[in-house]
Amino acid sequence: MNDLLIYSNAGLWIVQLFIVFCLFIIFRQFGTVYLRDKESVSRDGIPIGKKIPNFEAKSMITDKVMNKENFLGKPTIIGFISTRCKPCKELIPDWNKAYDKYNGQINFVLIGIGEEENLKKFANEKNVKGELLIDAHYIVDQFYARVTHLLVS
C-alpha cells in the first residue's frame, strides 16, 4: 500500500510539473511573462507625450528613406504590423476608415515587419492607406513595441 502511495505521489508531481511548464509556455507566448531586462516589465511602447527616437526606414509608397523629421508638424499615429499577424490584418479596415476621415489632420504611419515582397503583397491585398515603412526590427526595439509573428492565419 505504501508503494502505491509513493508512486501515485511521484506521478502527481510529474503531472503538476508538466502543467506548470505548459502554463509558462502559454504565458510566455502571449507576452505576459518577460525574461529580459527591466524595460520589459514596464508597459509596452513609449509613454504618451514622450518624444519618439530617431529612425530611418524605406517607404513602400515612395521608395524614399523616411525618418521622424518627415512627420513633424502634425500628430502622427504609428502602428506596427506583421504580414503573418491575424489581428494586424483585422486592423487594416479600421485604419483605412480613420485615414479617410483624418488624413489632412494626422499622419498615418504603419511600420511593417517582414520581407519586403510579403509587405508589398499585404499592402496591395488590404489596400493599406497612409505611409508604410519597412523595418529590420531596430525600430520595433527603439519603440519598445511587440509585434506578433506567430499568429498565422
Side-chain angles (χ1 to χ4, degrees), residues 20-45:
V20 168
F21 175 75
C22 289
L23 284 173
F24 175 77
I25 296 298
I26 290 169
F27 286 137
R28 178 73 174 125
Q29 178 65 33
F30 290 116
T32 305
V33 176
Y34 296 95
L35 298 177
R36 291 186 292 152
D37 52 21
K38 66 179 180 178
E39 292 172 349
S40 61
V41 176
S42 67
R43 188 163 169 76
D44 292 337

Side-chain angles (χ1 to χ4, degrees), residues 70-117:
N70 296 99
F71 305 110
L72 294 177
K74 58 184 173 180
T76 302
I77 296 176
I78 299 176
F80 294 88
I81 62 169
S82 171
T83 57
R84 298 184 292 171
C85 169
K86 185 176 179 181
C88 297
K89 292 177 182 179
E90 294 170 355
L91 165 80
I92 300 304
D94 292 328
W95 178 270
N96 288 340
K97 286 179 191 174
Y99 177 86
D100 291 338
K101 186 173 182 178
Y102 299 106
N103 180 25
Q105 304 161 14
I106 298 173
N107 293 316
F108 287 83
V109 180
L110 286 174
I111 299 177
I113 308 301
E115 296 177 15
E116 187 172 348
E117 283 182 28

